[in-house]
Amino acid sequence: MSVTETTKTFAPAGTWAADPVHSHVSFEVAYSGVNTFRGGFQEFQAVLAGGDEPTLEGTAKVGSVDVKDEQLNGHLQTPDFFDAARYPEIEFRASGLERIDGDRVEGSGELTIKGVTQPVKLIGTLSEAPATDPFGRERLGLRLETSIDRTQYGVSWNAPNQSGGDYLANDVKLIAELALVKQEG
């Protein structure tokens, strides 16, 4: 790796906050052995501190989980899954973020679900340069994903599939697609 490659700035200096209208935080899990089940969180926040030592912090409100079925939304908030009464937020922190090549990025961080914190590895993309929106605000697009074993966080409900195995896989893909807006000051 050349000196130029190792000194690339991850993101321009400043504070960049997720625009919730143009951002999405979601999850994917294999279901019933035949397809992928998807859901997301309607209420979340994320802030990237750019510069030479970038950090990304975010939370998602468990009560805002949305899987397009009210009954299942309610079940996901019980102790079988996220236990929203005891653990109302999922938290994420990353400090090991680096630009690999062009728009490709990698990093590491910590994810906390149900009071359990585990390290995670991240891969994704980041705009190579900010774009200016019609209102004069600078924007960056950041997409990160990781895979976790949900049972390591105490999210272990399952049911036997009559065709064999379990209905839900243990491995879950987490995806954050963030439209980041540079904050003033």
Side-chain angles (χ1 to χ4, degrees), residues 19 22 131-139:
D19 168 358
H22 298 98
T132 303
D133 69 18
F135 306 101
R137 298 175 297 195
E138 286 185 281
R139 290 180 172 266

Side-chain angles (χ1 to χ4, degrees), residues 22-87:
H22 298 98
S23 299
H24 190 70
V25 174
S26 61
F27 56 88
E28 299 178 351
V29 61
Y31 174 76
S32 192
V34 296
N35 72 320
T36 300
F37 180 78
R38 292 176 175 84
F41 295 92
Q42 299 301 312
E43 296 178 42
F44 59 88
Q45 63 85 27
V47 176
L48 172 69
D52 294 332
E53 296 184 30
T55 60
L56 176 67
E57 294 188 10
T59 60
K61 294 198 181 295
V62 171
S64 75
V65 68
D66 183 20
V67 294
K68 299 181 183 177
D69 180 290
E70 287 304 315
Q71 185 176 351
L72 185 50
N73 285 344
H75 189 202
L76 290 172
Q77 294 181 45
T78 70
D80 284 345
F81 288 94
F82 295 116
D83 198 356
R86 290 181 49 203
Y87 306 101

Side-chain angles (χ1 to χ4, degrees), residues 5 8 65 88 97 101 106 111 126 159 161-162 168 175:
E5 289 176 306
K8 285 184 181 177
V65 68
L97 299 168
D101 183 36
E106 292 181 358
L111 177 68
L126 175 68
N161 185 339
Q162 293 182 10
L168 293 176
I175 304 158

Side-chain angles (χ1 to χ4, degrees), residues 123-180:
I123 60 168
T125 57
L126 175 68
S127 307
E128 289 192 51
T132 303
D133 69 18
F135 306 101
R137 298 175 297 195
E138 286 185 281
R139 290 180 172 266
L140 287 171
L142 175 62
R143 184 183 198 283
L144 293 173
E145 63 181 63
T146 190
S147 291
I148 64 166
D149 178 342
R150 65 188 178 88
T151 63
Q152 291 183 347
Y153 295 89
V155 181
S156 46
W157 180 92
N158 221 326
N161 185 339
Q162 293 182 10
S163 299
D166 290 326
Y167 271 105
L168 293 176
N170 291 338
D171 291 334
V172 178
K173 182 188 286 188
L174 305 175
I175 304 158
E177 296 182 79
L178 305 173
L180 299 165

